[in-house]
Structure formats: structure tokens, C-alpha cells
Amino acid sequence: MVKRNENLARLPAGYLFPEINRRRRSLLLRNPHAKIVSLGVGDTSRPLTPHVVEAMRKAVLGLGTPEGYSGYGEEAGMLDLRKRIAQRLYRGTVDAEEVFLSDGAKCDCGRWQILFGPRTRIAVQDPAYPVYVDGSVIAGDGGAFEGGRFADIVYMQCKPENGFFPTLDELPPVDLIYFCSPNNPTGAAATREQLEELVAFARARGAIILFDSAYSDFIRDDSLPRSIFEIEDARRSAIEIGSFSKTAGFTGVRLGWSVVPKELAFDDGRPVIDDWKRITTTIFNGASNIAQYGGIAALDDEGVEETRGTVAYYMENARIIKDALDALGIENYGGSNAPYLWARFPGRKSWDVFEEILERAHVVVTPGAGFGPAGEEFIRFSAFGPREDVLEAVERLRRTVALVRLP
Ligand code: PLP
């Protein structure tokens, strides 16, 4: 008999979204006529924009001809796209050769976890996008799961009380720091000063920051950094992962990237970029060429203009949700530079609040505890739904939330 991978056995059962779906199905079994609307998942709902569709249509038609057909491409991606990302998104702070296209930020997270290997001392914001912890555990990090957390993972508490930024000086030694800004789930966007502090900390401790900028296009406040590479010295202490998923609606198309600066090195002086090339050429064969043509179109003038419209639509949803929460007197954060709102229900268990909102309002939200221990008491509201669902959901919340807040 084959032995089960013991790292998988260490993961607690019930990943967040399957559990949410289970409870949703249970409501429908009891009440088949319930019209459930969702402010839960981070999946997008706006269609692809015409300019991007046209570019991918042309690419597909070309692939159907002997002259236009191409097979495997450059593993790191098309040079034209790498250049556009470097110039348009990073304004020249990174080089095209440091940009590696992928099938998405989540998939790149998994490959980074393989690259760093087992027994890497990791630190995560608490709460955080679950893949950082779960993927690291699968790769052999984290130690035992005890009392709702992994013993060898450093959970950096990010709460309203500390401005959603951890007290770095108190941290034990770490190798890899996951940092996501604008943040999923809290909607907090780090300031320049905060990121400067983070980079200085990583430099002083010899740690590497894995900076997740999947939501950078949602930043409205121009004083906030959109990339870790806007911070001096970050090139010697950070990797950045980005994505076309939320901005261009590529959650199904699949396209993301990692930026690996040439200066970034391990303790023996070897460049991290060399190992990244080794990993990606060994267990990845490059992003879809059709998706890459779509990405190129999304980054020209017309594409950028169109995707701005998509982002504006979601941010208007965020404003509607925020106004409703404010009107109901519910303490809430985020929503100004991120498509997520983080609402607090003091003294309540987040799964209980989730359950009550689902049962009474037939609205799906996301319980904060699913993102880490510091998510208890909080609920995440996502702005990625269609406008009519958002309006319907906030109307139902208005009618029922007084009940939900009862202790
Ligand atoms: N990073 C964060 C913080 C996310 O919230 C998500 C998706 O929800 C991703 C990455 C996944 O991105 P992709 O679709 O490119 O895999």
C-alpha cells in the first residue's frame, strides 16, 4: 500500500470555500425556493472586455492555420508581454527578463513553496489568503497543527488596532514573509512607510518577502505603493507575484506572473532567479499563448482604458456595500483601495455570524476565521458580484442585520 503524504495529513479538514458551499447546499435542501445571493467569493463576474476578446479571437484563428500555428513557447513567456509588464506596471523598476509569466498567482505560490522547500520558517499576515499557509504545509513547512494554528508558522496579527500592520520587532527569526497589499481579506493597503519598514526588516534579518500584488489595480490613493519595487532596496529582498485575474477578469483564462530581481540571492550568494528558472522549466511549460495575447491587449492603451472600467464597476460595488455597513453602524474596514470590506461583529464567532446571515438573509459572505485566527469576529464582503446581487444583498442586510447583531 502507498503511504499518504504526511504533509497533506497535517492539514486541517475543510478548506474554507468547500465548507461554505456545503452550508449553502444544506440551506437549499431545507428550503429549495431560497434565492441565495453571494457577496462571498473573490471570483469575478464582469465579462472580458471587447479589445481583449478580439486579441484572443485573432490568436485562436491564427493557431488554426499552418502559418499561424505555434507550439510550446518561451517558458518565461512572450517577450512583448514581459516588456509591457515591466514598463507599464512597474514603470521600469524591473527588467523584462525578471518577469516570468505563469498560469496565475496561486499556481506561482505553489511553485515558490516547492522552490523554498521544507522547513522554511514562514511568516504570514493574520488573517491571510489561505494558500500561503496551506501550500507551505504541503511543501513540508509549519510543524504540527495545534489549537487552530501551525506551531512553526509565525502569524503576524493584522487588526484595526495596529493599522493592519504587524509589529515586526517582536517577530522570531523567519526566512520567508508573505505580504499581500491591498490585502485579501482585510482590504487594507499598506502605506509607503509601512512597506519601507517591511523591506528594512527583511534586509536586517536576511529574510525574503513574497509580495502578492494581485489587487494593486484597485488602489485609488496615489500615495500608496502599487508594487514592493517602488521601495528602495526591495530588489535585494523581495519577489512579487501579480495576476490578470481580478483586473482583466482572467480568473478562468488564467494568467499571472512572478518578478524575480537579479540581485536577490540565497545565503550562499546564489541568485534566486536561477532556481526559479530551474523550477519553472522543470514543472511548468509556460502560460497559454492565447491568454498571453489577451494579456498583451489588456496592457495597451485601449486595454488599460477598458480594464479601468471593470475595476471602477467593482469599486462602485464596494462603495455600495460600505455605505450600507456604515448606515447599519457596523464597524468596517477596506473597500477604498481594495475590492473587499472587512466588517467586525464584536464578541461573535465569525462562522455563527456567517450562518445567521445565510439563514436569515440568504446572503453568502465569508467568515473571517477561514483566513486565520485573527479573522475571528470578522466577516469579509466581496465586491466582485454583479451590481444587482450587491444591491439585493445590501437591501436584505438592511432588513435583517439588527437580528444578526444580537449577542
Ligand atoms: N492572491 C490573492 C491575494 C488572491 O486573493 C487570489 C485570488 O483570490 C490570488 C492570488 C489568485 O490569483 P490567480 O487567479 O492569478 O491564481
Side-chain angles (χ1 to χ4, degrees):
M1 290 291 278
V2 179
K3 269 213 182 86
R4 186 174 179 211
N5 179 339
E6 59 184 34
N7 294 330
L8 278 161
R10 281 187 299 129
L11 280 179
Y15 182 75
L16 179 59
F17 291 105
E19 178 58 21
I20 290 174
N21 284 334
R22 194 188 64 72
R23 294 185 188 214
R24 182 188 176 131
R25 278 196 306 274
S26 148
L27 169 66
L28 283 174
L29 276 178
R30 283 176 283 117
N31 183 353
H33 301 297
K35 287 210 164 33
I36 299 176
V37 291
S38 177
L39 297 183
V41 290
D43 198 359
T44 46
S45 59
R46 298 299 294 156
L48 298 174
T49 58
H51 182 60
V52 169
V53 169
E54 183 52 21
M56 291 202 281
R57 194 184 69 85
K58 273 199 191 133
V60 172
L61 293 179
L63 287 169
T65 65
E67 313 75 49
Y69 177 75
S70 64
Y72 295 122
E74 277 293 314
E75 271 113 347
M78 296 174 185
L79 191 57
D80 190 13
L81 180 53
R82 298 171 81 192
K83 277 186 185 158
R84 273 185 205 213
I85 291 175
Q87 284 155 12
R88 193 127 209 177
L89 302 180
Y90 291 94
R91 297 189 195 99
T93 56
V94 309
D95 210 78
E97 279 120 63
E98 297 170 324
V99 178
F100 296 81
L101 271 305
S102 74
D103 49 352
K106 189 192 230 182
C107 319
D108 265 359
C109 267
R111 287 185 282 266
W112 280 113
Q113 285 153 347
I114 292 172
L115 182 146
F116 285 105
R119 287 173 293 282
T120 305
R121 295 167 300 180
I122 74 156
V124 291
Q125 286 158 297
D126 177 20
Y129 180 48
V131 177
Y132 309 148
V133 167
D134 290 7
S136 300
V137 170
I138 292 172
D141 307 322
F145 187 67
E146 307 164 337
R149 55 183 74 208
F150 286 93
D152 298 343
I153 288 180
V154 177
Y155 293 80
M156 306 184 293
Q157 233 189 46
C158 294
K159 291 209 142 194
E161 288 71 22
N162 61 3
F164 295 101
F165 190 77
T167 313
L168 296 172
D169 290 343
E170 292 171 1
L171 299 186
V174 291
D175 302 311
L176 189 61
I177 305 167
Y178 286 89
F179 200 92
C180 175
S181 177
N183 189 268
N184 174 13
T186 65
T191 63
R192 186 168 300 279
E193 294 69 35
Q194 287 173 333
L195 291 189
E196 279 168 358
E197 195 184 324
L198 181 69
V199 168
F201 171 81
R203 293 282 300 140
R205 299 278 189 103
I208 290 178
I209 301 162
L210 195 68
F211 190 79
D212 186 338
S213 65
Y215 298 97
S216 62
D217 284 328
F218 292 83
I219 290 180
R220 289 297 168 90
D221 177 347
D222 284 337
S223 73
L224 299 173
R226 291 183 165 78
S227 160
I228 192 75
F229 297 118
E230 289 181 34
I231 308 300
E232 214 187 314
D233 246 7
R235 292 182 54 85
R236 288 192 286 163
S237 56
I239 294 156
E240 182 161 314
I241 54 175
S243 174
F244 283 88
S245 280
K246 308 300 164 113
T247 319
F250 276 25
T251 50
V253 173
R254 309 302 305 147
L255 190 64
W257 67 88
S258 284
V259 177
V260 197
K262 290 172 195 143
E263 297 93 311
L264 187 71
F266 293 108
D267 60 355
D268 63 359
R270 295 182 80 99
V272 173
I273 196 170
D274 288 354
D275 278 6
W276 183 243
K277 286 181 189 160
R278 188 78 167 93
I279 289 278
T280 51
T281 53
T282 305
I283 56 169
F284 181 57
N285 250 345
S288 146
N289 47 13
I290 300 165
Q292 291 189 69
Y293 281 116
I296 290 172
L299 288 180
D300 68 18
D301 289 344
E302 214 175 324
V304 167
E305 199 46 45
E306 282 183 351
T307 46
R308 271 202 194 118
T310 307
V311 168
Y313 177 95
Y314 294 133
M315 290 309 282
E316 175 62 9
N317 282 351
R319 188 197 60 76
I320 293 168
I321 300 169
K322 183 162 180 52
D323 283 355
L325 293 173
D326 286 346
L328 288 162
I330 296 173
E331 184 183 337
N332 69 85
Y333 303 89
S336 312
N337 293 291
Y340 297 115
L341 279 297
W342 190 235
R344 192 180 224 163
F345 293 80
R348 304 288 318 270
K349 291 250 174 249
S350 64
W351 275 107
D352 291 348
V353 179
F354 164 87
E355 193 77 22
E356 262 182 70
I357 294 177
L358 178 64
E359 294 292 328
R360 292 180 193 268
H362 297 175
V363 172
V364 176
V365 291
T366 316
F371 298 98
E376 202 54 280
E377 281 196 342
F378 288 89
I379 289 290
R380 187 193 75 172
F381 290 87
S382 162
F384 282 119
R387 179 69 43 78
E388 57 275 21
D389 284 11
V390 170
L391 291 171
E392 173 67 21
V394 299
E395 186 46 41
R396 291 194 202 168
L397 288 176
R398 277 200 188 99
R399 289 201 300 263
T400 50
V401 90
L403 299 169
V404 170
R405 284 164 69 210
L406 286 178

